[in-house]
Amino acid sequence: MKRTLTALAAMAVVSAAQGAVERIEVVERVPFAPGVTFGEYGAYEKIRGIAYYALDPRAAANASIVDLKRAPRDKQGRVLFSSEFVLLRPIGAQPTTLLYDVNNRGNIAILGQVNGRSPAYNDPTTAADAGDGFLMRHGFSLLFSAWTWDVAPSAPSAAGTPAPRPLVFAPPVAKGVKGKVQNEFTVNAPADIATYAGMRGLTYEPATPNDPHAQLTARARPDDKRRPIARSTWRFVEPELKGGPGRVQLEGGFQPDTIYELTYVAKDPYVTGAGLAGIRDLLSWFRDHPFENAPAPRNVLMFGISQSGRVIGRMLHDGLNVDEGGKLAFSGAYLQVPGAGGSAGFNSRFAQPTRHPSMMEEHDYPADAFPFTSAPARDPATGVTASTLDKARDKQGNLPKLIVANTSTEFWNRGASLIATTPDGERDVAPADNVRIYGFMGAQHYVGRSSKRAPFTACVSTSDHYLPMRALIVALDDWTVNGKQPPASAYPQLADGTLTTVADYRAIFPKGFGLTPPAQNLREPRLDVGRNFAVPPKHGDDYETRVPTPDADGNDKGGVRLVELQAPLGTHTGWNLRAPDTGFAWATSRFDGSFVPFARTEAERVAAGDPRPSLEERYANRDAYVAAVRAAAERQVVAGLLLAEDVERTLKENVGLYDSILARDSADQSCNYLYTQ
């Protein structure tokens, strides 16, 4: 089924000035999760389509898009492109909140974390793909579209199974532009051949195939001097998959514990900022138009996880949340685990959106830069005072309402403290009135499910921050539609001693139970790429970052007290050290925290020399632990950080882990017991 929708004739006349979506083409319309109804919202449908855009490089709303004026234009001076989209919505013609999920490296993310099930083949179709139906039962229409180009192809599907359907953007190209591109990579085990693109991504390939002037270097740490590797000892090899990232082969092989970097001249950079403008304009179109026999939505929200949350941060920083007509494209946004916020990636020449710095790698790739805070703050190094929202107001002066949530891991590995402190880490900066900040303490970047320690030294953190996420999504909708205030911000701060230096953290952290804190966290790089996006960029003094203060159990203070920390079964940290055999033993995992359970009995605790009180001392019996979990969950419900419908799930998860710890063979050092329930 294909049909094309155009705006009203009157709107079409002014489309170049006030709207960039020229037309919408519907290519598929089918039931979603056939046979399933989602509470009062009933059955859902899936609509797959293509949006066609025309951006005016002369419009003030597009002035921040890097290299847009260098892209090819039509006879009217507009830059043309398109993107695929997928819409899930109730079949009944009723107004709903349109929730746009910024896909992560081409993949739909929100269904996996919020509904509990990632859609098979990235193509939401079946009842299983709906997970527990949370977002549908709460009446959200879900919109996904292509916004980035650097999505590596997947391996061929097994016979008889559908091919994955990532959402991949084909941006405009700045033809004739050349520049240096650097590609940093590591290996976890010795290898003769390595891929040099970023995580699950693509990169710009050399302008000259098998470039004889390309340079390969090696170093042990990010700030070490690069050691050139003779060009005669390595060569380019074909991608493993057609259309996949390039690879290099080195005589003697690549080794762990080494950062390799491949640099060469590339050409014809993509106008990556057009992908962000495409999101803006697709939302603006849906905001104002009835679509396929349904009214325009009552509300428009954005949601992004990790990379996708940073996309929203960059849109706000560049004013790309305000359309060509001067209106907000969305009334609210939820940025989940964006670290320092994402004010520097996704809109620069030769941008590689998949790359971002962590403690160990990619310190030359812009992902975050001053300003970091939603309220104005002064950068002592430059004397400039600014905020992330300086360009985000509509023509009436309105700002979208924002929720920003990080876990403990982002404080260690992604500079999360900077969104609420001065750049020197010396003073707190309270969020703007339209912003709420939350820190999910004891949680890691995603909810862990690994039953192995490798490639790290500890079992991963078991805490579940997806449940408060569900409550906050509903709260954001209530805030933007009804004006109901969401829970007060809750995050570690300097003033109350819940945010501190790494040195203090190490001094306070309990000793003698198998975890030794890292010597450093990520100190966010201060980069200067200049007007011509120099490679490598100039480095200034790093921004100062802080970490949550631990308590006597090693659990982080401040922030949102997850049930797992209110009724603890062990120590949950935001960091997990790399295993020595994978290299970089001084560094932390990019995304994972740690969990070490308390001893079960006092005798077991004394024998092990564990300073933390045992489970036996904390909870008289299983019933006492169940009561503690239920009381903690009910406190979270009152605080607006847990929905009543999720209390039983919280009990099941935590009591299941309690039972697994008690049943565990104390000699078993594996992590298998964590996920038996």
Side-chain angles (χ1 to χ4, degrees):
M1 172 191 303
K2 287 189 178 183
R3 63 172 67 90
T4 298
L5 306 175
T6 57
L8 297 174
M11 288 196 67
V13 172
V14 296
S15 63
Q18 294 190 352
V21 173
E22 288 209 306
R23 61 189 174 95
I24 297 285
E25 180 181 311
V26 176
V27 298
E28 179 186 27
R29 185 176 183 181
V30 297
F32 168 68
V36 178
T37 57
F38 299 97
E40 64 182 280
Y41 292 92
Y44 266 59
E45 65 179 345
K46 175 176 67 175
I47 299 175
R48 189 178 291 272
I50 301 172
Y52 294 87
Y53 305 89
L55 285 185
D56 183 358
R58 298 162 296 183
N62 300 325
S64 63
I65 302 174
V66 172
D67 283 337
L68 184 64
K69 292 182 178 180
R70 296 175 180 267
R73 307 187 204 182
D74 68 0
K75 293 180 180 179
Q76 296 172 266
R78 305 172 306 171
V79 177
L80 307 180
F81 57 94
S82 64
S83 70
E84 182 183 15
F85 71 84
V86 177
L87 174 66
L88 304 179
R89 70 176 192 186
I91 290 174
Q94 55 185 311
T96 63
T97 291
L98 181 68
L99 179 57
Y100 180 90
D101 173 42
V102 185
N103 74 75
N104 191 298
R105 296 170 175 84
N107 295 312
I108 292 169
I110 194 171
L111 291 175
Q113 293 201 1
V114 177
N115 277 28
R117 176 67 178 258
S118 295
Y121 316 110
N122 203 49
D123 183 20
T125 303
T126 67
D129 293 333
D132 70 357
F134 174 84
L135 291 165
M136 293 80 184
R137 287 187 283 105
H138 285 269
F140 292 101
S141 293
L142 302 177
L143 181 63
F144 319 93
S145 72
W147 66 269
T148 188
W149 58 272
D150 66 334
V151 179
S154 302
S157 301
T161 61
R165 301 187 69 170
L167 292 161
V168 184
F169 182 51
V173 176
K175 288 285 188 180
V177 175
K178 289 187 175 183
K180 277 190 175 182
V181 169
Q182 59 188 135
N183 301 280
E184 191 176 287
F185 62 97
T186 62
V187 296
N188 285 338
D192 292 330
I193 296 175
T195 297
Y196 50 83
M199 180 174 52
R200 302 197 310 275
L202 298 173
T203 182
Y204 290 94
E205 299 297 338
T208 302
N210 201 32
D211 186 351
H213 301 293
Q215 295 180 317
L216 181 65
T217 66
R219 65 193 193 277
R221 294 197 178 212
D223 294 335
D224 288 355
K225 184 177 180 180
R226 292 161 170 82
R227 294 178 283 105
I229 298 175
R231 183 65 177 88
S232 59
T233 63
W234 64 271
R235 66 186 184 92
F236 290 93
V237 297
E238 292 296 315
E240 187 174 6
L241 296 174
K242 183 179 180 181
R247 301 184 296 165
V248 284
Q249 185 174 28
L250 175 65
E251 290 180 10
F254 298 98
Q255 302 298 319
D257 225 23
T258 302
I259 299 171
Y260 296 95
E261 187 174 88
L262 180 62
T263 307
Y264 46 73
V265 173
K267 65 178 182 179
D268 301 339
Y270 293 121
V271 183
T272 55
L276 310 191
I279 295 173
R280 174 198 68 188
D281 294 328
L282 185 64
L283 292 182
S284 293
W285 193 93
F286 274 103
R287 179 197 64 206
D288 295 337
H289 292 82
F291 179 61
E292 291 288 283
N293 304 317
R298 65 176 184 178
N299 192 26
V300 178
L301 302 175
M302 283 191 75
F303 178 87
I305 299 167
S306 190
Q307 178 198 60
S308 308
R310 292 186 287 113
V311 167
I312 301 172
R314 185 66 199 245
M315 290 177 68
L316 295 164
H317 178 271
D318 288 354
L320 291 173
N321 63 304
V322 180
D323 64 22
E324 292 184 4
K327 297 174 66 176
L328 295 177
F330 50 89
S331 61
Y334 186 139
L335 289 70
Q336 173 66 18
V337 293
S343 59
F346 314 111
N347 186 19
S348 58
R349 184 173 295 171
F350 289 111
Q352 298 187 51
T354 197
R355 296 190 188 269
H356 65 276
S358 70
M359 187 192 297
M360 187 183 81
E361 64 250 291
E362 299 185 340
H363 287 199
D364 279 357
Y365 295 89
D368 311 287
F370 179 84
F372 300 98
T373 55
S374 56
R378 182 178 180 274
D379 181 1
T382 63
V384 173
T385 297
S387 84
T388 58
L389 302 180
D390 288 347
K391 298 179 181 178
R393 295 183 184 275
D394 68 7
K395 62 183 179 182
Q396 279 80 40
N398 300 313
L399 287 167
K401 293 177 171 61
L402 305 175
I403 284 176
V404 185
N406 281 302
T407 71
S408 290
T409 294
E410 283 74 55
F411 286 86
W412 284 93
N413 243 9
R414 287 293 294 114
S417 63
L418 286 167
I419 66 172
T421 69
T422 51
D424 58 8
E426 293 297 322
R427 292 186 296 107
D428 294 315
V429 178
D433 291 342
N434 63 306
V435 179
R436 298 292 183 272
I437 298 176
Y438 305 99
F440 296 141
M441 297 297 93
Q444 62 179 40
H445 192 72
Y446 41 64
V447 172
R449 293 298 300 175
S450 175
S451 59
K452 300 178 180 178
R453 292 176 184 266
F456 313 115
T457 57
C459 297
V460 300
S461 180
T462 59
S463 53
D464 186 353
H465 62 279
Y466 294 168
L467 296 182
M469 281 172 58
R470 287 156 63 114
L472 290 174
I473 289 171
V474 173
L476 178 62
D477 194 34
D478 279 344
W479 191 16
T480 48
V481 172
N482 303 315
K484 181 181 177 181
Q485 292 291 315
S489 292
Y491 58 94
Q493 299 180 55
L494 296 166
D496 63 8
T498 57
L499 193 67
T500 191
T501 65
V502 172
D504 283 346
Y505 181 99
R506 287 169 57 86
I508 298 168
F509 193 81
K511 300 170 178 61
F513 67 100
L515 283 182
T516 300
Q520 65 186 84
N521 68 333
L522 173 70
R523 297 178 72 243
E524 190 77 26
R526 184 190 289 267
L527 304 179
D528 180 5
V529 298
R531 296 184 63 181
N532 294 317
F533 302 96
V535 173
K538 295 179 181 178
H539 280 249
D541 291 337
D542 293 339
Y543 298 105
E544 291 292 340
T545 52
R546 303 291 187 239
V547 296
T549 305
D551 63 18
D553 289 328
N555 286 316
D556 290 342
K557 294 181 178 180
V560 174
R561 308 303 295 162
L562 297 176
V563 170
E564 290 87 343
L565 267 62
Q566 292 190 48
L569 293 172
T571 299
H572 298 264
T573 75
W575 48 267
N576 200 332
L577 289 168
R578 290 173 59 92
D581 59 343
T582 62
F584 310 102
W586 53 270
T588 56
S589 161
R590 205 167 196 167
F591 304 116
D592 300 87
S594 304
F595 175 69
V596 177
F598 300 134
R600 291 171 293 190
T601 66
E602 277 299 286
E604 192 173 277
R605 182 191 70 79
V606 171
D610 191 333
R612 305 167 302 163
S614 66
L615 292 175
E616 180 181 64
E617 186 174 350
R618 294 167 190 267
Y619 313 106
N621 50 40
R622 187 179 190 272
D623 288 344
Y625 177 70
V626 171
V629 173
R630 185 174 293 279
E634 290 174 353
R635 286 192 293 271
Q636 292 290 77
V637 172
V638 171
L641 293 164
L642 185 69
L643 296 173
E645 66 182 272
D646 287 331
V647 168
E648 292 305 314
R649 174 173 155 184
T650 300
L651 278 165
K652 181 180 178 181
E653 290 178 355
N654 285 275
V655 176
L657 181 56
Y658 175 89
D659 291 340
S660 295
I661 291 171
L662 289 191
R664 170 186 173 223
D665 181 350
S666 60
D668 180 8
Q669 294 301 302
S670 77
C671 307
N672 293 328
Y673 74 98
L674 295 177
Y675 305 108
T676 57
Q677 65 271 16

